[in-house]
């Protein structure tokens, strides 16, 4: 069974409370529960990690080198700033899907560039929290065989 590590970056612990007009009313716990239920249906094993600290996210990606076949990552604001997260993902051999809850291309221009997209096998933006579920569905194909 493929193991998928789901990683959420800074401020996503406030999902549901933070700018709900942009990010919706679901909490991170809701998102994780929905992903866990879907993963069971899809025959995937999933683990969840959220941190407001860049180094902790990098260490989670390093650990995934040993124990995961895929990473679903919403790097949040680090998307637009972090060469270090890109470097960590470049050291991971499995599938990578970048998820953004909002459509970053419809927002401020500083959100239009992502360091992570050049490494990602797929980029999902603007599907709301359903983006995580879309990513898991795609992971079935990306991690098959
Ligand atoms: C985000 C978009 C980022 O620009 C922002 O900094 C976030 C969340 C999203 O999920 O839409 O924190 O990654």
């Amino acid at each position: 069974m493929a193991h998928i590590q789901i990683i959420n970056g800074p401020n996503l612990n406030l999902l549901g409370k933070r700018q709900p007009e942009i990010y919706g009313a679901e909490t991170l716990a809701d998102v994780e529960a929905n992903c866990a239920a879907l993963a069971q249906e899809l025959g995937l094993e999933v683990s969840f990690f959220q941190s407001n600290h860049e180094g902790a996210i990098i260490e989670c990606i390093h650990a995934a080198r040993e124990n995961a076949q895929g990473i679903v990552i919403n790097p949040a604001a680090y998307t637009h700033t972090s060469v270090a997260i890109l470097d960590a993902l470049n050291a991971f051999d499995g599938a990578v899907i970048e998820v953004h809850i909002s459509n970053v291309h419809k927002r401020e221009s500083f959100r239009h560039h992502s360091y992570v997209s050049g490494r990602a096998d797929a980029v999902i933006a603007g599907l709301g929290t359903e983006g995580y579920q879309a990513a898991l569905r795609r992971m079935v194909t990306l991690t098959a065989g």
Side-chain angles (χ1 to χ4, degrees):
M1 188 184 279
H3 176 217
I4 311 300
Q5 178 69 57
I6 299 181
I7 301 175
N8 279 293
N11 300 305
L12 290 168
N13 54 311
L14 296 180
L15 212 53
K17 299 181 197 124
R18 167 200 187 204
Q19 296 182 282
E21 68 287 0
I22 295 175
Y23 298 113
E26 275 194 344
T27 66
L28 188 58
D30 295 331
V31 172
E32 292 181 350
N34 290 340
C35 285
L38 179 64
Q40 201 168 9
E41 238 178 76
L42 298 175
L44 297 171
E45 186 192 337
V46 277
S47 302
F48 304 102
F49 181 78
Q50 189 277 328
S51 179
N52 297 321
H53 303 276
E54 191 173 18
I57 293 167
I58 290 164
E59 279 163 14
C60 181
I61 296 168
H62 291 177
R65 282 164 50 82
E66 310 300 327
N67 67 24
Q69 287 68 54
I71 292 177
V72 173
I73 184 165
N74 183 347
Y78 289 141
T79 307
H80 318 298
T81 63
S82 182
V83 175
I85 288 176
L86 170 64
D87 285 351
L89 289 170
N90 277 332
F92 175 74
D93 287 335
V96 174
I97 300 182
E98 175 183 353
V99 171
H100 299 286
I101 296 166
S102 64
N103 179 1
V104 283
H105 300 289
K106 206 177 166 185
R107 299 180 64 194
E108 304 96 317
S109 59
F110 65 82
R111 296 185 201 276
H112 296 177
H113 176 260
S114 164
Y115 281 101
V116 170
S117 295
R119 163 63 183 92
D121 297 289
V123 181
I124 296 170
L127 293 192
T129 52
E130 286 171 45
Y132 295 92
Q133 291 166 52
L136 283 182
R137 289 186 193 281
R138 179 63 182 157
M139 274 297 177
V140 174
T141 308
L142 293 179
T143 60

